[in-house]
Amino acid sequence: MNAQTGFETALPAATGERLVVIGNGMAGCRAVEEILARDPARFAITIFGAEPRVNYNRIMLSPVLAGEKSFDDIVINSAEWYAANGIELISGDPVIHIDREHRQVVSRAGRVESYDRLLIATGSDPFVIPVPGKDLPGVVTFRDLDDVDKMLAAAERGGSAVVIGGGLLGLEAAHGLSLRGMQVTVVHLMPTLMERQLDEAAGWLLKSELERRGQAILTGADTEAILEQDGHVAGVRLKDGREIAADLVVMAVGIRPNTTLAKAAGIECERGIMVDDHMVTSDPAVLAVGECVEHRGQCYGLVAPLWDMCRALADHVTDAPTGYTGSVTSTKLKVSGIEVFSAGEFSAAEGAEDIVMRDAARGVYKRVVLSGDKVVGAVLYGDTADGNWYFDLLKKGADVSDIRDALIFGQAYASGGTRGDPNAAVAALSDQSEICGCNGISKGTVVETIRAGACSLDAVRSQCKASASCGSCTGLVESLLQLTLGDDIQTGPKTVCKCTSFTHDDVRRLIVERELKAIPQVMQELHWTTPDGCSACRPALNYYLLCAWPGVYEDDQKSRFVNERMHANIQKDGTYSVVPRMWGGLTNPRELRAIADVVEKFNAPMVKVTGGQRLDIFGIKKEDLPAVWADLNAAGMVSGHAYGKSLRTVKTCVGSEWCRFGTQDSTGLGVQIEQLTWGSWMPHKFKIAVSGCPRNCAEATIKDFGVVCVDSGYELHVGGNGGIKVRVTDLLCKVATEEEALEHCAAFIQLYREQAHYLERTAPWIERVGLDYLKEQLFGEPDTVRRLAIRFRYSQQFMQDDPWAKRAAGEDSELHQHLAEVRPLELAQ
Amino acid sequence: MIGEWLDIGPVTQIAPGNARTLPVRGGEEIAVFHTLDNRFYALVNRCPHKGGPLSQGIVHGAVVTCPLHNWNISLTTGEALGDDEGCVPTIPLRVDAGRIYLLREAVVRPRAA
Ligand code: SRM
Ligand SMILES: Cc1cc2nc3c(=O)[nH]c(=O)nc-3n(C[C@H](O)[C@H](O)[C@H](O)COP(=O)(O)OP(=O)(O)OC[C@H]3O[C@@H](n4cnc5c(N)ncnc54)[C@H](O)[C@@H]3O)c2cc1C
Ligand code: SF4
Ligand code: FES
C-alpha cells in the first residue's frame, strides 16, 4: 500500500525541541495530550501512525464489531485536534528504522524525521499460533479497525466462525460475530474461560451462559491445524481429531509487545522495551510507553496502566518528575448482558481468606479475597455493581476490618448506617419485608416461627420453609435466629463440611431434584461458601454425582483421593502397592506366575497374602504402575480396587464342592457375586463374604454383605464390620436360590449407594437409620428389590471397565510420568 | 534474566487441580502445582509431617492436602496450616508466554520460606 500524506498543519509548528512519536494509538496520543496540558509550546511534535486514520479508542472495537457503535463514535482525536495543536500526523506510513546516532527515524515511504526526543508507543501485536494454515485468507486477528472490517465482511456472507482463544478478546469477538448472525464456536486451550481473570466457579457460569446463547464453547481444546478449501479457510482441526467447519477463523490467543523497532535500534528489551519509572529507555533520548514496554518486570495489556505511565512521562519531560511505580489492574468483560469483573489476586495468598456469596436465583457469584484486613482480589459474576468499590479498597489498601462481615453484600450495605453489622441491618428490616424470595416468607413469619420453638436453621427450614429452597437467604435467617434467640441457637445437623450449610442428605436430594450434573454447578446452586470446595466436599460431590447420573456424569479425577486417582494404595514412602483381583479368592498357575514375574521384573521388596484372600505387591513406583498393570492384564487379571471406596473383596470358603460340612457352592456363589459387583463406586469400601455353612469360615458375619449358606438356602446378613469398631451383621432375610441371593445383594448395595453419606460404611449407616427402615425400603413394596437391582445393574455397565487396562493403554499418562528430570548440567549457570 | 530461570515447559502439561513432579539429580524432587484458579506454584515434594508426596494430594484454593495424613500445606508459603506445624521449601516460579520457569538457584538449593 502506498502511504498517504499527513494532514497539513494550520499552526506553524512550535519552535522548541523536536518530539517524534512512533505509534498513533492510545498511549502515544495520550502521552502527547498530557505533555500539551503541561507545556503546549515545549515541543514540535510529529506522530507516525501505521494505521491510515486518526487516533481512536481501541477498546471500543468490540462494540463496533457488535454493531453497538460506529467508528465515528470511537474517534478520540479528530484531524482538527492534530491541526489545532500544531501536531503533524503522518498516518498510514510506519516507521521502519531508528537511527539513534543521528537521532533520525525513517518511514516506509522514505520520509526522514530527526528528533531531540523520541517516543516509542508501538503497542503490541496479536500472537498468531504457528499452526499449518495460519496465513490462509479468512484467518484474522482482532487488533485494529482493519481486522474489524474483515470480520464484518465475513459476517455479511454469513456462515460459521471459529474463535481461537477464550480470553477477554476472544469472547468479545465471539459475541460480536454471533450478534452479526454467525454460528460461533470458541476454541480454548485451558479448561476454564478467561482463566487469567476468573476462577473455576465464575468461568463455569460464564461458559454455561454463553452456551445458553447458542455459542459452542470447547475448553481444553488444542488447535492442531487450520483447514483449507480452494485457497480459503474451511475449518479448524483439534489435536484430539475433532474438526469444526468455519468460513472465518479469529485468532485471539494473546498479544506480544511490539519491540521490533527498538530491538533493531539496540535499545534494551526483554519481553517489552525496558523503561525506568520515568518511561526512559536504555537511551536517554528515547522514551517508550504503552503495551510495548516492560516496567519493573511487568508488561500490561489494559489501558488503565497506560494513563499512569503517560502522566509520569509528561511530568518527566516537562522537568517535574514524579515517577510511575506500576499498576494493579481490573478487568470487565464487554459483552452486553453478561457482567464479569475481576481484579487483583484471587489465588489465596499467605493468610488470605475468601468471602464468597452465591445467589443461584439471580445467577450471581461474588468472591472477595482478604489478606489480613485488606482486600487483595475480587471476582464478580452476574452483579458487578460493586466492582469498582472493591477495586478502590484494593488499590487504597484500605483496612476493612470493621465492615468485613457485610463486605460481600456490597457498598450500599457495608457503608450503610448499620456500620456493616448484618444483624443490625436485618433488625432494621420491617416485619413485612420478605426474607425468603422462593417461598415468599416475611421477616415477621420467620421470627414467629423461631419464637414458636424453631431454634435451629433446620427447624426454621422445615417449619416455615424459609431458606428451604435455594438457600440464598440462609444468612438472613441465621441473623434472625441470632437476634431472636441470642445464644440459645441450636446448630443444626452436621453439614457436609465447612463450605456449605447443607447436610449430606440435602445435597443428595437436591442433586437429583434439580438435576445438578457438575461440581461447580452444585457449588453455585447450593451456595457453597468457598470458591472450589475442600478436600472433604469435592470427593463427596464427585461420588454423589457419579451415583445420581450413571453414564452421564464425567468422573472428576482431581476430586479423588490419591489412591483412587492412581488406582493403587499409596505407602508411607510414596511408592504404591498393587492388589490384583482374585475372584472369590481363587487363583491359578498363570496368575501366580504373572505375579511372580512382576515381583522380580520390578524388584518389588515384598509380596504378601492379604486379609482379603489375595496377593499384595508392595513398593511399586508411580512411573512403573502402568507397566505392572499391563503385565497383570496380560495374564487376565484386573484391578482389585484395594484402594477404592468401592467393592473390595468377596471372601469365600471351599463350600460344598470340597468341604464335608458344605451345604451350598459358596465358592461359586462368591465368584458370581464378585463378578456382579466389582468396579462399583460406593460411599465407602464394601466387603462381602460367602460361607458354606454356619461355621462361617469366611467371616461373613463381619462383612458389609455376608451370605451364610444353609441346607434350605441362603441367609443374607448386612452391616458387619471387622475394623475399628467391630460390628456383627444383622440378618436381613433368607432366600432359596442363588439368583435371589444375587438380586438381593445388588438391591442392598444400590440402596447403600443411593442413601448413605460419603465415607459412611454400612455398619454406622444401619446404626443411624435402623434395620427396620432398611427392611421397609427394601420390602415395603412388592418389587422394590427388583427395581433397585435394575438400577444397580444399569450403573454397572459404566463401571465395569478395568481402570488398569486404560492406564496401561496410556490414559492419564501424565499422572504417572515426571515433567522432566533436572540434571546438574542444566543447572550450572 | 532467562539465565536465572529454568524453563520446565508449557503450562498445558499440568491440568488445573493437579500437580506434576520434577526429580532433581543430587537434589530434592520438586512438585509443580496448577490450582483450580489457574495459578502455578512449586514446592519441594516432601510433606513436613512425615515426608508424604504432596504432588499426590488434593488441591483446593492455594492449599494441598497431603495424601498420607491429610495435613494442609499452603502452596504460597509451604507452611502447614491449622494446628499442624512445619514448613517445606517453596521454589520461586514465574509463568511467561504460556511456559513455566523455576528459579534455578532455588531448584538446586531450596530454602524454607
Ligand atoms: C492389605 C490389607 C492388610 C493385609 O495385608 O491383609 C489392608 C491394608 C490396609 N487397610 Fe485394611 N487391609 C486389609 C484388610 C482389612 C480387613 C480384613 C478383611 O477385609 O477381611 C479389615 C477389617 C474388616 C473390615 O474392613 O470391616 C480392614 C480394616 C481396615 C480399616 C478399618 C475399616 C473400618 O470400617 O473400621 C481401614 C481404615 C479405613 O478404611 O478407613 C483399613 C485401611 C487399610 C489401608 C488401605 C490403609 C490405607 O488407607 O492405606 C491399608 C492399605 C495397605 C496397602 O497399601 O495395601 N483397613 N482391612 C488387607 C487388604 C485386603 C484386600 O485384599 O483388599
Ligand atoms: C478489541 C479490543 C478490546 C479491548 N478491550 C479492552 C478493555 O475493555 N479494557 C482495557 O483496559 N483494554 C482493552 N484493550 C486493550 C487496549 O486497547 C490496549 O491496552 C491499548 O490500546 C494499548 O495502547 P497502546 O498505545 O500501547 O497500543 P495501541 O493502541 O495498539 O497503539 C499502537 C499503535 O502504534 C502503531 N504502530 C505500531 N508500529 C508502528 C510503526 N513502526 N510505525 C508507526 N506506527 C506503528 C499501531 O498501528 C497502533 O496504532 C482492548 C484491545 C482490543 C484490541
Ligand atoms: S491394620 Fe493398620 S497398619 Fe495394618 S494394614 Fe491395616 S491400616 Fe495398615
Ligand atoms: S506425611 Fe503429610 S500428612 Fe503425614
Side-chain angles (χ1 to χ4, degrees):
Chain A
M1 112 192 142
N2 51 15
Q4 61 181 66
T5 49
F7 302 92
E8 287 316 312
T9 56
L11 300 177
T15 49
E17 304 171 65
R18 284 155 307 166
L19 171 67
V20 170
V21 181
I22 308 177
N24 185 35
M26 301 195 73
C29 287
R30 172 59 77 98
V32 169
E33 288 175 11
E34 293 281 356
I35 294 170
L36 292 174
R38 285 163 180 70
D39 184 351
R42 178 151 198 135
F43 295 100
I45 304 173
T46 305
I47 303 180
F48 283 87
E51 294 182 69
R53 55 187 68 92
V54 294
N55 162 244
Y56 60 94
N57 188 345
R58 191 170 310 282
I59 83 176
M60 287 303 168
L61 286 176
S62 299
V64 170
L65 178 65
E68 291 153 358
K69 291 223 179 322
S70 74
F71 179 70
D72 295 344
D73 300 331
I74 72 167
V75 167
I76 299 177
N77 301 108
S78 65
E80 293 67 32
W81 174 82
Y82 293 89
N85 291 288
I87 300 166
E88 183 171 19
L89 171 64
I90 301 160
S91 60
D93 185 15
V95 170
I96 55 167
H97 177 64
I98 302 173
D99 175 352
R100 292 198 291 138
E101 195 184 340
H102 306 93
R103 299 204 167 174
Q104 286 179 337
V105 299
V106 184
S107 83
R108 184 192 292 142
R111 177 154 182 159
V112 178
E113 287 285 332
S114 41
Y115 62 83
D116 301 300
R117 286 297 187 96
L118 178 65
L119 171 56
I120 306 177
T122 49
S124 39
D125 293 325
F127 180 63
V128 174
I129 47 176
V131 290
K134 64 179 170 51
D135 302 320
L136 286 168
V139 181
V140 302
T141 55
F142 191 14
R143 183 69 192 180
D144 61 24
L145 190 68
D146 300 340
D147 297 328
V148 173
D149 290 338
K150 286 190 204 130
M151 289 192 245
L152 292 179
E156 277 298 304
R157 295 190 294 279
S160 56
V162 167
V163 175
I164 303 177
L168 183 112
L169 226 56
L171 294 182
E172 292 184 1
H175 172 65
L177 290 169
S178 49
L179 282 188
R180 298 281 184 170
M182 292 191 95
Q183 179 51 50
V184 180
T185 303
V186 176
V187 170
H188 189 50
L189 188 59
M190 290 307 205
T192 50
L193 294 175
M194 289 179 70
E195 75 281 350
R196 292 219 299 299
Q197 293 85 15
L198 302 183
D199 56 15
E200 186 194 31
W204 178 83
L205 284 165
L206 179 57
K207 180 165 182 277
S208 351
E209 172 58 19
L210 292 172
E211 285 168 339
R212 209 186 50 71
R213 293 176 170 211
Q215 293 181 27
I217 312 283
L218 307 181
T219 49
D222 200 351
T223 306
E224 181 175 74
I226 294 175
L227 308 171
E228 180 239 329
Q229 195 173 27
D230 3 304
H232 190 275
V233 63
V236 166
R237 182 169 68 246
L238 305 178
K239 289 232 166 84
D240 63 18
R242 275 181 294 178
E243 294 192 355
I244 310 130
D247 311 287
L248 172 73
V249 171
V250 181
M251 284 246 193
V253 293
I255 52 172
R256 290 271 175 290
N258 178 347
T259 59
T260 331
L261 274 178
K263 268 213 183 79
I267 296 167
E268 189 188 331
C269 299
E270 284 279 349
R271 269 177 304 164
I273 304 170
M274 302 298 272
V275 292
D276 65 14
D277 291 356
H278 306 287
M279 302 290 125
V280 180
T281 68
S282 56
D283 174 342
V286 181
L287 306 147
V289 72
E291 273 185 355
C292 59
V293 307
E294 175 171 338
H295 172 265
R296 297 191 184 182
Q298 282 286 338
C299 293
Y300 296 95
L302 297 167
V303 289
L306 315 185
W307 305 157
D308 303 337
M309 293 181 190
C310 291
R311 259 178 244 114
L313 176 138
D315 291 339
H316 167 70
V317 298
T318 54
D319 309 321
T322 46
Y324 170 68
T325 54
S327 312
V328 216
T329 57
S330 71
T331 320
K332 247 186 152 98
L333 181 67
K334 302 194 298 306
V335 168
S336 42
I338 300 185
E339 294 193 28
V340 181
F341 175 91
S342 152
E345 277 296 311
F346 50 85
S347 177
E350 176 174 12
E353 177 195 348
D354 286 306
I355 309 180
V356 172
M357 198 210 57
R358 305 177 187 245
D359 182 342
R362 285 168 52 232
V364 170
Y365 169 77
K366 291 181 169 188
R367 174 182 178 188
V368 174
V369 187
L370 299 181
S371 182
D373 293 324
K374 295 181 170 37
V375 176
V376 294
V379 181
L380 308 179
Y381 184 93
D383 173 2
T384 55
D386 290 302
N388 294 333
W389 181 58
Y390 292 128
F391 188 45
D392 197 49
L393 293 171
L394 186 153
K395 280 186 298 186
K396 285 211 206 90
D399 179 330
V400 296
S401 43
D402 61 345
I403 54 168
R404 177 193 209 88
D405 296 352
L407 196 60
I408 197 70
F409 300 111
Q411 181 170 22
Y413 195 174
S415 34
T418 63
R419 291 211 59 265
D421 169 1
N423 287 348
V426 176
L429 296 172
S430 75
D431 278 359
Q432 289 69 37
S433 55
E434 184 173 85
I435 295 291
C436 172
C438 303
N439 300 298
I441 314 288
S442 70
K443 175 183 168 186
T445 320
V446 177
V447 174
E448 275 166 40
T449 316
I450 296 170
R451 292 229 173 85
C455 300
S456 71
L457 181 61
D458 237 56
V460 173
R461 278 184 180 156
S462 58
Q463 288 170 38
C464 76
K465 293 276 158 295
S467 102
S469 301
C470 85
S472 56
C473 57
T474 303
L476 293 171
V477 174
E478 279 167 343
S479 295
L480 286 173
L481 280 158
Q482 255 303 333
L483 291 164
T484 330
L485 300 173
D487 300 339
D488 308 341
I489 305 185
Q490 294 159 10
T491 46
K494 229 176 119 294
T495 63
V496 174
C497 65
K498 61 170 181 13
C499 305
T500 175
S501 65
F502 285 100
T503 63
H504 283 274
D505 294 328
D506 292 334
V507 172
R508 298 206 74 166
R509 178 177 47 84
L510 290 164
I511 283 177
V512 177
E513 271 177 25
R514 304 229 203 114
E515 309 205 340
L516 308 178
K517 294 186 177 160
I519 288 178
Q521 187 185 17
V522 176
M523 291 180 174
Q524 175 67 15
E525 295 289 320
L526 304 189
H527 306 94
W528 244 238
T529 58
T530 49
D532 52 24
C534 67
S535 60
C537 57
R538 286 196 80 95
L541 292 180
N542 189 53
Y543 167 71
Y544 291 154
L545 289 162
L546 204 61
C547 176
W549 312 114
V552 175
Y553 174 69
E554 200 180 314
D555 198 330
D556 183 33
Q557 287 291 316
K558 60 185 179 302
S559 299
R560 285 187 173 273
F561 291 119
V562 54
N563 287 3
E564 296 185 346
R565 214 181 318 125
M566 302 302 286
H567 294 286
N569 294 77
I570 194 163
Q571 305 293 307
K572 58 191 268 191
D573 66 354
T575 63
Y576 291 83
S577 77
V578 173
V579 184
R581 214 166 263 295
M582 285 183 176
W583 309 94
L586 297 179
T587 184
N588 58 46
R590 182 157 173 250
E591 293 182 349
L592 293 172
R593 222 174 264 118
I595 290 174
D597 292 344
V598 162
V599 171
E600 283 179 351
K601 182 167 163 191
F602 298 89
N603 45 57
M606 173 164 102
V607 56
K608 171 179 187 310
V609 176
T610 74
Q613 296 188 341
R614 41 196 197 169
L615 292 165
D616 194 343
I617 307 164
F618 287 85
I620 304 294
K621 292 197 219 54
K622 77 172 187 223
E623 308 87 281
D624 292 336
L625 286 171
V628 168
W629 294 332
D631 291 1
L632 296 172
N633 282 156
M637 284 179 280
V638 299
S639 167
H641 295 89
Y643 48 79
K645 308 296 173 228
S646 58
L647 177 84
R648 292 290 177 89
T649 62
V650 178
K651 281 171 108 169
T652 66
C653 71
V654 284
S656 56
E657 295 293 289
W658 299 90
C659 177
R660 62 203 166 106
F661 298 112
T663 62
Q664 312 279 354
D665 175 10
S666 52
T667 327
L669 178 58
V671 172
Q672 288 184 63
I673 291 181
E674 189 159 2
Q675 272 160 355
L676 168 70
T677 56
W678 76 279
S680 166
W681 293 110
M682 313 215 193
H684 204 314
K685 61 187 178 189
F686 195 98
K687 296 173 176 182
I688 300 177
V690 185
S691 290
C693 82
R695 290 169 190 74
N696 193 13
C697 300
E699 303 160 332
T701 50
I702 52 163
K703 294 292 172 260
D704 296 275
F705 184 85
V707 181
V708 176
C709 303
V710 290
D711 292 321
S712 55
Y714 307 82
E715 287 175 10
L716 307 182
H717 301 260
V718 296
N721 187 307
I724 298 160
K725 190 167 170 299
V726 178
R727 180 180 194 273
V728 174
T729 47
D730 298 299
L731 176 62
L732 183 66
C733 64
K734 204 178 137 197
V735 298
T737 67
E738 286 193 338
E739 291 61 40
E740 290 170 281
L742 287 161
E743 191 81 342
H744 282 74
C745 176
F748 173 74
I749 291 179
Q750 187 61 13
L751 190 67
Y752 170 61
R753 294 184 74 237
E754 290 177 4
Q755 296 197 2
H757 299 168
Y758 189 65
L759 291 189
E760 184 176 47
R761 287 242 354 226
T762 55
W765 174 53
I766 291 177
E767 294 284 327
R768 180 166 63 83
V769 299
L771 185 63
D772 298 342
Y773 169 84
L774 213 71
K775 288 186 166 167
E776 171 60 30
Q777 289 287 305
L778 283 166
F779 311 123
E781 290 158 31
D783 70 340
T784 31
V785 167
R786 204 185 104 264
R787 278 194 269 107
L788 281 162
I790 288 173
R791 288 211 289 284
F792 181 71
R793 287 202 162 88
Y794 176 76
S795 84
Q796 281 299 78
Q797 296 172 25
F798 309 101
M799 309 260 171
Q800 290 195 327
D801 50 357
D802 176 28
W804 289 359
K806 293 197 221 132
R807 292 288 173 94
E811 187 180 279
D812 298 323
S813 57
E814 73 281 358
L815 291 180
H816 299 277
Q817 292 158 5
H818 294 300
L819 271 174
E821 191 194 28
V822 183
R823 274 171 247 89
L825 211 157
E826 299 170 35
L827 293 167
Q829 283 275 27
Chain B
M1 179 170 209
I2 288 308
E4 305 164 21
W5 295 91
L6 179 67
D7 181 341
I8 60 166
V11 294
T12 48
Q13 57 192 345
I14 313 174
N18 285 319
R20 296 199 50 194
T21 45
L22 190 72
V24 178
R25 272 222 203 135
E28 289 213 78
E29 182 165 286
I30 290 168
V32 186
F33 294 85
H34 185 174
T35 66
L36 286 170
D37 41 25
N38 291 286
R39 305 306 166 102
F40 291 81
Y41 301 96
L43 261 58
V44 165
N45 193 21
R46 174 175 41 77
C47 177
H49 178 221
K50 293 188 175 175
L54 297 172
S55 59
Q56 307 298 78
I58 290 184
V59 179
H60 45 103
V63 177
V64 62
T65 302
C66 177
L68 292 197
H69 320 95
N70 300 329
W71 277 27
N72 284 317
I73 309 298
S74 158
L75 294 175
T76 54
T77 63
E79 274 163 22
L81 303 171
D83 306 337
D84 302 315
E85 289 202 358
C87 188
V88 52
T90 57
I91 289 86
L93 174 154
R94 87 160 216 247
V95 172
D96 180 10
R99 296 186 73 81
I100 305 172
Y101 298 84
L102 298 181
L103 192 64
R104 273 178 198 273
E105 59 156 40
V107 171
V108 218
R109 278 173 249 82
R111 263 187 233 87

